[in-house]
Amino acid sequence: MLFKMKKLIKKTIIFFTIIILIIIGSLVVLTTKYPIGYKSAIVKYSNEYNLDPYLVASIINVESKYDKNAVSSKEAKGLMQIAPQTGQWASEVLGIENYNEKMLFDPEINIRIGTWYLNNLFTEFNQNLDLVLAAYNAGSGNVNKWLDNDEYCKDGVELSVIPFKETRDYLVRIKDNYKVYSSVYKEYIMNPTEKDSLYINLLHNIKRVIKELVRNI
């Protein structure tokens, strides 16, 4: 009887250990694939520019993986990958004093400009999310050209075809991210703290250390 009891306890411990490891592993995958940081700025400027904070969080992840120092091949910078000309335009409209491109690496300024620009796109494209996302990725000039082209648009309002594969994929990625951020992080994003970006900075520091180690091997 005692032997059976010990065996049962052992099996129970093993079972719960496996469950805990699965949960920890899932959390590691979640926070690596769908990190979150800078919640205070996301909520603040989403409210200011009448945007969905979960959409902003999704765009940041797709654009930069929450790396505030990210730079694209086209010189777009920071969390929301702001193009140089967009940054200059926004700085003049928003009255950002002594503006220079290095300021785009400041999360607060980057998110402020990114959300302001998104608000402009929503106004330009009559609140049509697909057009806004396409414009954020490919530029509003391209989207307007597509809307005027019968090959891509039948009614002048909705795109039936997005000619750029990168932009088509971009819309899918944003929407997939949105499902996660608006469900898994629902309460977390809406309850920001002043120290909500510590772990995201730690995550990117660890990534940089690993890259350096691999580079030097």
Side-chain angles (χ1 to χ4, degrees):
M1 184 69 178
L2 184 61
F3 174 75
K4 288 184 179 180
M5 183 65 71
K6 287 182 178 180
K7 194 173 182 180
L8 178 61
I9 292 172
K10 185 178 180 180
K11 285 183 177 180
T12 303
I13 292 172
I14 292 172
F15 173 77
F16 281 109
T17 300
I18 292 172
I19 294 297
I20 291 170
L21 289 174
I22 290 173
I23 292 172
I24 292 173
S26 299
L27 287 173
V28 170
V29 171
L30 177 69
T31 55
T32 300
K33 188 173 182 180
Y34 302 100
I36 181 66
Y38 313 106
K39 294 183 297 166
S40 296
I42 290 173
V43 173
K44 175 182 176 181
Y45 292 113
S46 293
N47 288 336
E48 182 171 339
Y49 294 111
N50 196 30
L51 299 171
D52 185 336
Y54 309 115
L55 175 64
V56 175
S58 302
I59 288 173
I60 293 173
N61 190 39
V62 172
E63 289 287 346
S64 68
K65 277 291 182 184
Y66 282 84
D67 183 356
K68 64 181 181 179
N69 298 309
V71 180
S72 77
S73 58
K74 296 181 180 179
E75 292 301 309
K77 295 177 174 65
L79 294 171
M80 297 188 74
Q81 290 291 274
I82 307 300
Q85 61 269 32
T86 303
Q88 185 62 47
W89 172 35
S91 71
E92 294 169 3
V93 175
L94 298 173
I96 300 175
E97 295 183 4
N98 303 314
Y99 174 79
N100 63 72
E101 283 186 27
K102 289 183 179 180
M103 289 183 177
L104 294 176
F105 296 119
D106 180 322
E108 184 88 7
I109 291 176
N110 190 283
I111 293 173
R112 182 185 180 191
I113 290 176
T115 50
W116 170 84
Y117 180 54
L118 275 172
N119 178 270
N120 274 268
L121 292 177
F122 271 108
T123 300
E124 180 178 357
F125 294 105
N126 198 29
Q127 307 301 311
N128 185 310
L129 179 60
D130 283 0
L131 296 183
V132 169
L133 293 177
Y136 198 91
N137 177 259
S140 58
N142 279 319
V143 173
N144 281 310
K145 287 178 184 177
W146 299 338
L147 288 171
D148 290 335
N149 189 324
D150 291 341
E151 185 179 354
Y152 308 128
C153 178
K154 305 302 181 185
D155 57 7
V157 178
E158 297 277 353
L159 289 174
S160 53
V161 177
I162 296 176
F164 291 178
K165 182 180 184 302
E166 177 189 334
T167 303
R168 293 197 303 271
D169 293 343
Y170 182 80
L171 266 67
V172 172
R173 291 171 65 199
I174 294 291
K175 291 177 180 181
D176 285 345
N177 272 259
Y178 183 80
K179 291 175 184 177
V180 175
Y181 283 103
S182 62
S183 55
V184 176
Y185 289 123
K186 187 173 183 179
E187 296 300 324
Y188 184 69
I189 288 178
M190 296 309 294
N191 290 283
T193 68
E194 291 302 317
K195 298 181 179 180
D196 62 19
S197 304
L198 290 177
Y199 108 87
I200 199 75
N201 290 329
L202 176 62
L203 181 64
H204 284 292
N205 285 332
I206 291 172
K207 284 183 177 180
R208 288 190 186 94
V209 169
I210 292 173
K211 284 182 181 178
E212 284 299 317
L213 288 173
V214 170
R215 191 177 294 124
N216 293 321
I217 290 177

